Amino acid sequence: MRLDKNRIAELNKAHLPQHKEDAGRLIEKLYNKGIDADSVINKLIKFQIAIPSWALGTGGTRFGRFSGPGEPTSLESKIEDVGLLHALNQSSGAISLHIPWDVPSDVDAICSLAKEMDVKFDAVNSNTFQDQKGQALSYKYGSLMHVNKEVRDQAIAHNIEVINHGTNLGAKALTVWLADGTCFPGQANFRKSFENTLDSLKQIYAELPADWNLLVEYKPYEPNFYSMAIPDWGTSHMMAQELGDKALSLVDLGHHLPNTNIEQIVAILMMRSKLGGFHFNDSKYGDDDVTSGSLKPYQLFLIFNELVDGMDNTDNPDLSWMIDASHNLKDPMEDLLQAVEAIMIAYAQALIVDRKALADAQEANDIARAQEILQDAYRTDVRVIVAEARIKGGAAWSPLETYRQLDIRKALVDERGKYTLATGL
Amino acid sequence: MRLDKNRIAELNKAHLPQHKEDAGRLIEKLYNKGIDADSVINKLIKFQIAIPSWALGTGGTRFGRFSGPGEPTSLESKIEDVGLLHALNQSSGAISLHIPWDVPSDVDAICSLAKEMDVKFDAVNSNTFQDQKGQALSYKYGSLMHVNKEVRDQAIAHNIEVINHGTNLGAKALTVWLADGTCFPGQANFRKSFENTLDSLKQIYAELPADWNLLVEYKPYEPNFYSMAIPDWGTSHMMAQELGDKALSLVDLGHHLPNTNIEQIVAILMMRSKLGGFHFNDSKYGDDDVTSGSLKPYQLFLIFNELVDGMDNTDNPDLSWMIDASHNLKDPMEDLLQAVEAIMIAYAQALIVDRKALADAQEANDIARAQEILQDAYRTDVRVIVAEARIKGGAAWSPLETYRQLDIRKALVDERGKYTLATGL
Amino acid sequence: MRLDKNRIAELNKAHLPQHKEDAGRLIEKLYNKGIDADSVINKLIKFQIAIPSWALGTGGTRFGRFSGPGEPTSLESKIEDVGLLHALNQSSGAISLHIPWDVPSDVDAICSLAKEMDVKFDAVNSNTFQDQKGQALSYKYGSLMHVNKEVRDQAIAHNIEVINHGTNLGAKALTVWLADGTCFPGQANFRKSFENTLDSLKQIYAELPADWNLLVEYKPYEPNFYSMAIPDWGTSHMMAQELGDKALSLVDLGHHLPNTNIEQIVAILMMRSKLGGFHFNDSKYGDDDVTSGSLKPYQLFLIFNELVDGMDNTDNPDLSWMIDASHNLKDPMEDLLQAVEAIMIAYAQALIVDRKALADAQEANDIARAQEILQDAYRTDVRVIVAEARIKGGAAWSPLETYRQLDIRKALVDERGKYTLATGL
Amino acid sequence: MRLDKNRIAELNKAHLPQHKEDAGRLIEKLYNKGIDADSVINKLIKFQIAIPSWALGTGGTRFGRFSGPGEPTSLESKIEDVGLLHALNQSSGAISLHIPWDVPSDVDAICSLAKEMDVKFDAVNSNTFQDQKGQALSYKYGSLMHVNKEVRDQAIAHNIEVINHGTNLGAKALTVWLADGTCFPGQANFRKSFENTLDSLKQIYAELPADWNLLVEYKPYEPNFYSMAIPDWGTSHMMAQELGDKALSLVDLGHHLPNTNIEQIVAILMMRSKLGGFHFNDSKYGDDDVTSGSLKPYQLFLIFNELVDGMDNTDNPDLSWMIDASHNLKDPMEDLLQAVEAIMIAYAQALIVDRKALADAQEANDIARAQEILQDAYRTDVRVIVAEARIKGGAAWSPLETYRQLDIRKALVDERGKYTLATGL
């Protein structure tokens, strides 16, 4: 399925008069505060958040999965789904593949489809947390950290294979998320697990093309419930440091213990030029993987506040942005549109923070003033400039409304059938 | 110190033209969505949040306290402080006293001062978590739950004394927050502690005037670190049920285990007509007692979403609203102004939720739509209607800005001296 | 497969001389402390912990499942597995069925098999957290709390069907664990969800045989990540109270927010005669469902300390004990043997607490002494009296060692095949 | 006050016959398992846990403090208290001073008193979390991280002064615990705070004597409630790495977010030779600072399991062991005796782990076996060998019992008076 840009423009029309008026006013207000709204809008236009291939199907929990209709069952249809999202919001122009769920059989055809849909290939992801059919050795007791060299070698080879797939598609980074860990005290020796994991990563790193990055994700628990091989940013950073300049830490918002100050981690990693990427989602309890911004939008803003500051004031390399959520209940496409909107709003709020005034308040220990400055940006209704950026980019004034008006899910079901099942979790 | 209303009006002037334009636009937008902004503004005008007497001085932690200048050292000066806040925002027209820190020596003088400052007496608070000089028996091992009847009797008598003080001042509720609990397994018998606590509360309840309420607060830990006599809403509710209709549960936002869904508790208590009051503050880790809305403003909105719904659709009695925070670093007056502003914003956002549409989305299990409805209200910049309510009530367009323009802290220091020390924590 | 009691007795022989000596010494020591070890041993012999039918197969997480060899694939083989466990430890003489995973097709045959294996039927469990093939209406958005009466009626009918199955087998309780809840703010109206849930439970309760109990389980999150229909003991208790005397709360150790004092909940529920049963497991982060006693054995002891006290000193009805864990990595049979051992140890430790001295210390606020008393019981190596109880009951001195010596898993694989897959999660 | 060794020996006598029998049996059992109990006992005898000077007085919370009788009010009396403890258990032969609470006025006299009491001077602690009377600049907004160089310089100078005091007394390490942090988003720039803190530490490090260590403590929150300058082991380690070989991380058990796997941190830091010391306490919720081993004894064992393994198998330098608890309710001396006992028990349990078998089980992914090995050590009643170590060292069979039999607190009250108040929190 393809979206007709004219159809989007047509649907936008009804909103444009009011939108133009509202946008004009906010731009003027920002201007009066010394903020260049045009620059903000340009940054918003450029900002692209990758969609992971597995997030286009319904997610599940260990208690089961309630599939939705019209799920994409092939890599082609997943790219189409991302293309549809991107047509609607012009902020989702990349897909992040998960091998072996999305092995491209015909690379040229896939690349040309992606190009047609204006979709790039973001970081590729390896999977050593499940056993695939016919796999020689099991990952039940770990992969890169496994006590047996044979299992580690198999997992290393898989990661190298993923790099090769990515190279063919023009990706520039490998994301390694390890489920490796233990469920019981005594199950493994912590030091040996660390050494095995690091040694395996070194072998993968050695195969990394010159212009690639290795993104080392961390997570405190799940699917292992006593320890994880890379439980926290400290371990991820330690490993990335030993690996070399191309190795960077990746932050997933749901991968932290309760109450962690994530924005501080972001700031420190960027200070050391060691932040590689971001997995967006939201959570109340653990790695709940619900829609970005649906529970803690202020935290999302505070994180973007650090990201914007870090992008301007540190030497941190360009970041890889991706949504990583599990759409258990909502239509995955709608969920993703809501997530991207929430992320763009947080980014826009962070872009209009008066950084000069904030720095002054910090120097003066004027805490109430510093709080006012952040809250002023956060409380501003920036939806209108996010919409302005979208419209300028040729996308929908309201992607979700347009998605519903065009009845896209129905069209997908008609095309694909009701009882399709996407690969993934 | 008294604030001249004309002075406030004068300072407002510079903002009025822009404000009127902005307010007009938002009111029109809300009108177009079917929301009666005038009714919203009227509700905002009526909404009053009590200031606790102890929050006007600098707070501290167990590691120490960094006092601020010009703290109020008498009940009179505390009432004056609340009067100043109320003059600035017209939303803080009540004070909540803490006995024995604020025993009124001359009731008539206190009442006439309060009247002059347009300040009412909200719920009175007993204190059995500290030993006072000359106190016969210690509360080291508890008060209402203590194994010794003599100690319990002393604590009961103190609570009755607090009721008497409150009656003299026109208060209508007693808030009982118990620090009682244990630090070690085995220290106390849970069942006996429960029974002693409930029995003591019954004796206090028996002395309650007919038009009073007894507000039973709960807290999971601190200052006791193994168990608390009333650790959660379930226990508070169980006790309130046994006590009778005048006994209600009181929710303090900081008194929950990590990740608790507080808004659900609020909804259920109101459904049973058993929610009595609210202590506002914010927190990231425990009972941090930082400024309301400074960390989790969306949670505050979700709570108000339930409160608004419950006030309209349940038989729950009128609620007692109070700030309960510890102003360790900021000027307490500025902190309180920020807290009230954040609360008013959350309330305003909750008032503009399209409840009919929300109910429809819920009936249809249209989760994305339900989320959009809540987020639409939350993302709206309602500061302008909160300011409109303030201006209509004769208060400052921006209370914090006005507080600084009038250099009120300096005036208080001039009046009271720099090294004064408020009673409290 | 059946175990020959003589074979067990034979394997015990090598340990008996040393065991008898050790047991004699501990019994004497306890006697000198005023504790009747015989009575303790008799209580241990009588204590039976039900095994849930789904725990005999390998568990999994949302990221996948690593099956083990020789899993039981029929209700018959599950009962056999429980029978084997019971032969080894004489403490697992009951099975808890999960409908529809374990619908008995030939009730008489099942009952006679169970009788042969000396296995009783404990509480039966309904399942409305998954959609079964051919099911008319989906539980995607809830079951007993669903907004649509049709869905609720279907779920009610299922529960009644479960009662009927249980009646046929001689079970005496229905356990209702509801996955119902929401993943997003606004998704459902809390009050309506509560009312729908309670109303549905009332209809189920109405169909309960006179000598049955309805056990109402609670859980704060997972598989829903914003709210649950029955999130905490307070809600469960509120519902159980309204339902009637046959409705009781069920505590699952993993179903609490971080740091919850579970033993206090146990004590209070028993005080009100409202504790119905227990699901044993252990956890570090959330509902990790790892082996009982593998992470927080002291907490397990403290809970048993309350249970023992409550069984002696309250009118709480008899409790339903069950393991509820997910054996993701270990052989489920070994895992269950370890779990039962840990539970028996905790129970034994609680039984040798000097309750008179503890009560005296509590009355005197002698906290150090109270702590010493609990720690003295906990630090005692009671394994020998647990083994004594087992040997007296005709079971193995060391069930796990015997399981391995007899190579039971190999025998099961030979019987059932390597690649079998148990129903369950 | 001094304890007469003969008096202790005399009181031991009644227990010796039974003790000798019990000890002999356990030693034989361990021998049969291939564990050299004599070596274990020798390690226990050598193990010394420092007592912090502030822990000898009653602790408090922000809600108040309930003093106990006979608190030590001078450095001399604090050393005497530690001497008494050491006489009772022969495991507390060191004191850790806190400057400026314990500035030695007459160094020679203090040293000779300490020598007399057989007490050494462990790591000295600086205090920049409170303002002292007459202090030029306030630490309200931080010390080593403060935005103003003048404040940082003052805090640096204080730390150097502490080093000088320590040098005079023969201490060999400076522990820096920083309360520095923020209570509100925006209050400080994370990167600048980090840089200021690290720069300050570098200046202190430069003044460190050649044979000293700098121990860098971390803590996630309290007394600041949004961010801390050194919130986690990752930050502490990063700083220690930059500072140099003499800088090491210090782990306080209470300074972690909920559910942190502390033993893994210990293992990794030791692997990198970067663990410097330990602050023992226990907690259920936050930094509760209750008696070691009173809540999570198995966690304490698992930590010692790593420590023992790390001391044998890594190049990590010798560790500094200290109790850091707040004795709010119990007699501090009794509390400390219980804490040391719990630590010794955990250490003894870790020493009898069959490490060869454990390593084999780990290599074979035999998780059930690995768990059995740890639990076997943990479930063993090692109190008798801990007592044996004590008796061999000339201390009491039961320090707490002896403390009570000798009525030491009464003697201290007689000496010091009832209403004395120790310096500290």
Side-chain angles (χ1 to χ4, degrees), chain B residues 134-181:
Chain B
Q135 184 178 307
L137 300 164
S138 172
Y139 296 133
K140 183 168 190 166
Y141 306 114
S143 60
L144 298 185
M145 86 163 216
H146 201 286
V147 287
N148 295 342
K149 189 175 180 306
E150 290 72 24
V151 181
R152 297 200 300 273
D153 285 347
Q154 175 183 291
I156 292 164
H158 165 68
N159 274 279
I160 293 168
E161 186 203 330
V162 174
I163 294 173
N164 293 336
H165 284 303
T167 308
N168 292 337
L169 298 168
K172 295 289 176 203
L174 169 70
T175 296
V176 175
W177 171 61
L178 278 189
D180 290 23

Side-chain angles (χ1 to χ4, degrees), chain A residues 55-252:
Chain A
L56 300 157
T58 308
T61 71
R62 64 172 165 140
F63 296 102
R65 177 176 170 176
F66 297 94
S67 299
E71 298 193 355
T73 52
S74 65
L75 178 51
E76 286 75 8
S77 53
K78 290 174 185 178
I79 292 172
E80 278 180 2
D81 274 8
V82 175
L84 292 171
L85 295 174
H86 191 46
L88 289 166
N89 66 19
Q90 286 300 323
S91 307
S92 313
I95 186 167
S96 185
L97 301 193
H98 210 289
I99 309 297
W101 295 334
D102 306 301
V103 174
S105 48
D106 180 342
V107 170
D108 288 346
I110 288 292
C111 286
S112 110
L113 173 66
K115 204 177 168 185
E116 184 202 337
M117 306 300 281
D118 192 21
V119 168
K120 292 191 174 47
F121 291 95
D122 201 78
V124 283
N125 303 269
S126 57
N127 172 343
T128 60
F129 54 86
Q130 294 180 320
D131 286 349
Q132 306 301 327
K133 260 193 187 155
Q135 186 178 305
L137 300 163
S138 172
Y139 296 133
K140 183 167 190 166
Y141 306 114
S143 60
L144 298 184
M145 86 162 216
H146 200 285
V147 287
N148 295 340
K149 190 176 180 303
E150 290 72 23
V151 181
R152 296 200 300 274
D153 285 346
Q154 174 182 291
I156 292 165
H158 166 68
N159 274 277
I160 294 170
E161 186 201 330
V162 173
I163 294 174
N164 292 337
H165 284 303
T167 308
N168 292 338
L169 298 168
K172 295 291 175 203
L174 170 69
T175 296
V176 175
W177 171 61
L178 278 189
D180 291 23
T182 68
C183 277
F184 297 97
Q187 180 181 340
N189 180 296
F190 290 126
R191 297 196 313 272
K192 280 195 190 154
S193 298
F194 183 100
E195 282 161 6
N196 283 341
T197 304
L198 181 54
D199 183 70
S200 299
L201 286 172
K202 280 179 181 169
Q203 296 186 52
I204 296 166
Y205 187 87
E207 301 293 324
L208 216 56
D211 57 349
W212 273 54
N213 284 326
L214 177 61
L215 308 181
V216 183
E217 202 165 345
Y218 58 89
K219 186 173 185 182
Y221 67 95
E222 199 214 18
N224 275 294
F225 296 113
Y226 172 62
S227 74
M228 294 286 275
I230 310 179
D232 51 20
W233 78 267
T235 310
S236 164
H237 177 66
M238 206 183 238
M239 290 184 173
Q241 249 188 324
E242 295 223 5
L243 288 169
D245 287 349
K246 293 184 289 185
L248 304 164
S249 291
L250 184 141
V251 175
D252 180 300

